[in-house]
Amino acid sequence: MDSDEVETGSEPKLPELKLDAKQAQGFISYFRRLPENEQAVRFFDRKDYYTAHGDNATFIAKTYYKTLTVLRQLGSGADSLPGVTINRSMFETIVRDLLLERTDCTVELYEGTGSKWQLVKNGTPGKLGSFEEVLFASNEMQDTPVVMAVNVTIRENERCVGLAFVDMTKRQLGMTEFLDDDLYTSLESAMVALSCRECIVPQLTAAKSPDDRKLRDVMARCNVLVTEKKKSDFRSRDIEQDLGRLVKGPPEQHKELVAASDAAAAALAALLTYTELLSDDTNYGKYIIQPYSLDLYMRLDAAALRALNVTESKTDANKNFSLFGLMNRTCTQGMGKRLLNRWLKQPLVDVAEITRRLDTVQAFVEGLELRQDLRSHLRRMPDIERLVNKLEKRKAGLQDVVRLYQASLRLPLIRTCLSKYDGEFSEYLQEKYGSHLEEWTQPDHLGKFDGLVEAAVDLEQLQNGEYIIAADYDNSLQELKTERDSVEKQILKVHQQAADDLGLPAEKSLKLDKSTQYGHVFRITKKEEPKVRKKLNSQYITLETRKDGIKFTNAKLRRLSEQYTKLTEEYSSTQRELVAKVVDVAATFVEVFTGVAVLLAEMDVLLSFADLSCTSPTPYVRPSITSADEGDIILEGSRHPCVEAQDDVNFISNDCRLVRGQSWFQIITGPNMGGKSTFIRQVGVNVLMAQVGCFVPCDRAEISVRDCIFARVGAGDCQLRGVSTFMAEMLETASIIKSATERSLIIIDELGRGTSTYDGFGLAWAICEYLVEVTRAPALFATHFHELTALAHSNAPPVHGPPRGPPVGIANYHVSAHIDTKSQKLAMLYKVEEGPCDQSFGIHVAEFAHFPESVVELARQKAAELEDFSAAEKDVSGGNTKDEVGSKRKRVSGLDDKARGAGRVRKFLQEMAALPVDKMSREETYAQLKALKSDFDKDAATNSWLQQMV
Ligand SMILES: Nc1ncnc2c1ncn2[C@@H]1O[C@H](COP(=O)(O)OP(=O)(O)OP(=O)(O)O)[C@@H](O)[C@H]1O
């Protein structure tokens, strides 16, 4: 680091803030005049280091230095301003965190001195802008930021969402319009699928309505920065003209898109204004625009993404905790990783497309040599996507062109690997990859690019780390070089002459130096100086006398040195001009390289899947895929890939059979820590992996494609945002009720945990009923409400109108545990077995944990009061005893009580659901709920079944 650093005990080393009182005063007055912006973190570039001030300083001190002692006061008294200094690498770290990890800040960088400063860089999580260079200079790009704009109109009680997005790295625009429910479920899945980081919404003029709140809740759930823009920005008047400039190809397509949706066009207009794409003419004619369809991919909401551990989290103790971490074995620089990230959020729904990916993975799994060879080539592939981007923006240098050249040289080798493979899918691989590679590597395609680089670049200098244009590429460059070489020779001659003249051996005593200040000079040590002082004074010109020696020259050397410097300058400027020309020509190849990048990234991800599938301790298998309306979901010997990959886990595999009409809806009970949650999640994870195109951790798998996975597991971090656990459960479950269809997969864990027993149980029961009767989606419902297992045998008539088809089939499963009488240990077996759970574990556990005998005895008595171990199972199971193996606990209450009780619970829930919560204040909501609850309590007093729960 260039600046002085101060070390304060164990505190971090920080650059010293060097401002005198006047400078400090000037700066403070400038700083105080800056417009308020709570989101902005402002940095001031002080050449060798950066500073931040005011609240920003405190924020940085707390968040990144983890101590306030790093704060320094500028000025004194009431006007003083806290500040913190930041060195260059810390600055990069902070900016990276602010723009790539967090989504609640924007970053501004100012340059200047005293009281004169200027905003020079401005970035937001969606619009990295000029910070892109800072952020990715030394790091691979993990994700490409996507900014969205959303324009909601409510007509006749219907929410119409106009959505537009831009991916500035890929130069893609997209737009769509759709009707959404009041929880914005579809918008949420679009945000997840597009990895949106920032969303532009129209500024609110009045106070927030419940609808606005819900919109913002969705953004918060998806960790998206909300940026408000003037309503007038959302006007589509000039959009056709603007798109005409930005978008490549004929205008018909974008005209059609704009005409199809006014709301989306308005959103796109706001987006173009915000991203300022039109103010940079390197963007003109470079963008593509596509209609976006929500039905292209499996829908995932933020809760599902979390429940299935799809993406990496900073807190992950190891990379295998997330599906991304586990599946990422990509080896190209950046490209594969980014594609995997996208694919995981966009699982396919089209059987043919999934099959094609699986075919490729199978080819790679079976063709060991093919896989290894391809990976060894891909390992050496640079981030072509990013290089192409630099080329298009004219920010590329010769080094970037050379890297593309090196990539291009490898393409024929990749083609050869593919053509050597003669397995089952050779024809497909040839068609999908080989044919493109063949075309691109022809002499009139990339052959021309290679030729350009070979002619223009001095490839021999690459080993010295120099990227220069070869002299023989251009006559004037050649002339300059020849001339400069000759001057250099003369300089060496003069050096030798002087050495002879002074009687000092050249190189050893009389050195020839090259400095920026004097050009070529002679140098001797101070020790030698007395020997030659006389001559030095008479025939040479002394330039500098310092500790490290004396620098001097003579008329001849000076003249030659001046000549040399001039020639070098001319040579460099000719080099620069030529580099610019070469980069310009190279930029005409961006389309081919874009194609190459797409192909290699895809191959990289599929190779990564294959690698994971066959190198896992128990290899994965290819799932057989059927459309959403046919087949079942059968996973034999299935595992949770992330839990299985943990070092200390000996994973027990399980079967899952979601069979239409038999076990399409499964209730899973079992002791705490028994593996319920892991099991139901692993089903979701397996389905997701299959639809991404990967093999699955099973012995055999059949999967009927799902268009959506809904997962509700735990209340997440909602409490932090002031939403109670119960409310969060209600909200997440409401979105399942509203949006799930027969083609979805539903995973629910411990619903009702966040509330008192009877509310929770009632809610769980009512939701199960709804899912079974109305939604009819395959579902896995893990619960601690043992009473729910009665649902499988419930003969109660449907509550949601006439049946919508044959029964979906409800089945009970439980996770097993074993009590070893010898070792006195309770062992979780993690085996999922048919039937509901044996719930007597609690007392066994207490006994073996050496609870006092009296306590265990009392517990037994109490249990006996509640349970009738000898009661005929028929009583409660509605005649079906088969599934009750192992279930000892039975309620004493009769069927009548139970049916009436369930009816009362249903009534309670209907009343609760009918409350217009949207329009009520929090206090009103609680008051109404209290009233409903008190009514319920009264009825519960006369129903023994309900009493047991209250
Ligand atoms: N099939 C399995 N094989 C081996 N270990 C497992 C298996 N399933 C779960 N585990 C281990 O058991 C732990 C607890 O599992 P899980 O959280 O799924 O239990 P649970 O029944 O949902 O518990 P709770 O009811 O307390 O939420 C996991 O962290 C995991 O390490």
Side-chain angles (χ1 to χ4, degrees), residues 778-789:
L780 295 153
F781 201 102
T783 182
H784 59 277
F785 294 120
H786 191 253
E787 293 77 5
L788 267 184
T789 57

Side-chain angles (χ1 to χ4, degrees), residues 638-640 643 646 648-654 669-682 749-750 753 782-784 815 828-832:
S638 87
R639 286 107 53 199
H640 192 303
V643 180
Q646 303 309 319
D648 49 352
V649 174
N650 176 18
F651 200 87
I652 310 297
S653 64
N654 274 305
T669 43
N672 287 352
M673 293 300 285
K676 301 185 289 295
S677 181
T678 307
F679 174 67
I680 62 173
R681 288 177 206 226
Q682 92 193 25
D749 194 9
E750 298 287 15
R753 201 180 236 179
T783 182
H784 59 277
V815 286
M828 294 301 171
L829 302 178
Y830 305 118
K831 207 67 197 158
V832 176

Side-chain angles (χ1 to χ4, degrees), residues 825-838:
K825 271 192 184 148
L826 173 75
M828 294 301 171
L829 302 178
Y830 305 118
K831 207 67 197 158
V832 176
E833 290 170 359
E834 282 185 32
C837 165
D838 176 342

Side-chain angles (χ1 to χ4, degrees), residues 357-523:
R357 279 194 197 165
L358 289 171
D359 284 351
T360 315
V361 175
Q362 189 176 338
F364 293 155
V365 165
E366 290 168 356
L368 174 67
E369 199 184 327
L370 173 71
R371 186 171 80 240
Q372 286 175 343
D373 288 353
L374 285 178
R375 279 174 68 83
S376 78
H377 290 303
L378 292 187
R379 211 164 274 139
R380 295 181 179 85
M381 281 296 173
D383 193 339
I384 301 179
E385 221 171 47
R386 201 166 147 60
L387 293 172
V388 165
N389 214 269
K390 281 173 96 179
L391 261 186
E392 284 197 311
K393 289 193 174 152
R394 298 291 186 275
K395 284 189 178 155
L398 214 48
Q399 184 172 1
D400 299 316
V401 174
V402 169
R403 297 184 77 194
L404 285 174
Y405 164 73
Q406 286 161 338
S408 165
L409 289 188
R410 215 159 263 286
L411 298 180
L413 306 177
I414 294 182
R415 203 187 71 205
T416 312
C417 289
L418 287 166
S419 60
K420 274 202 294 194
Y421 164 78
D422 59 358
E424 188 184 344
F425 303 99
S426 62
E427 217 170 286
Y428 173 64
L429 288 192
Q430 178 54 27
E431 177 200 320
K432 173 93 184 155
Y433 304 118
S435 61
H436 292 292
L437 289 171
E438 199 158 333
E439 187 195 333
W440 292 330
T441 48
Q442 291 301 311
D444 57 346
H445 246 93
L446 284 180
K448 279 191 183 161
F449 176 83
D450 299 345
L452 166 80
V453 177
E454 280 157 15
V457 181
D458 190 342
L459 295 171
E460 273 174 23
Q461 291 301 321
L462 293 190
Q463 60 211 32
N464 306 329
E466 276 202 78
Y467 293 85
I468 51 170
I469 299 283
D472 57 6
Y473 179 63
D474 180 85
N475 283 344
S476 51
L477 193 71
Q478 181 68 62
E479 277 167 24
L480 286 167
K481 186 169 184 292
T482 316
E483 229 178 300
R484 195 178 65 167
D485 286 351
S486 125
V487 173
E488 194 165 24
K489 257 191 206 150
Q490 292 177 53
I491 291 176
L492 292 177
K493 221 163 128 193
V494 171
H495 180 207
Q496 190 53 53
Q497 281 167 358
D500 296 345
D501 180 38
L502 294 169
L504 296 170
E507 288 316 317
K508 204 163 163 235
S509 300
L510 181 73
K511 304 251 169 18
L512 183 68
D513 271 9
K514 216 183 333 177
S515 76
T516 39
Q517 194 181 358
Y518 303 114
H520 288 86
V521 290
F522 301 127
R523 180 168 58 83

Side-chain angles (χ1 to χ4, degrees), residues 17 63 135 183 210 307 569 667 800:
L17 182 55
T63 319
L135 295 173
L183 293 172
E569 273 164 16
I667 295 164
H800 298 280

Side-chain angles (χ1 to χ4, degrees), residues 655-668:
D655 296 347
C656 170
R657 294 173 188 281
L658 285 154
V659 178
R660 291 174 209 258
Q662 290 175 28
S663 52
W664 205 228
F665 189 98
Q666 302 190 354
I667 295 164
I668 293 121

Side-chain angles (χ1 to χ4, degrees), residues 582-601:
V582 169
V583 170
D584 269 356
V585 181
T588 59
F589 291 87
V590 290
E591 209 142 307
V592 191
F593 277 114
T594 307
V596 172
V598 170
L599 185 145
L600 294 184

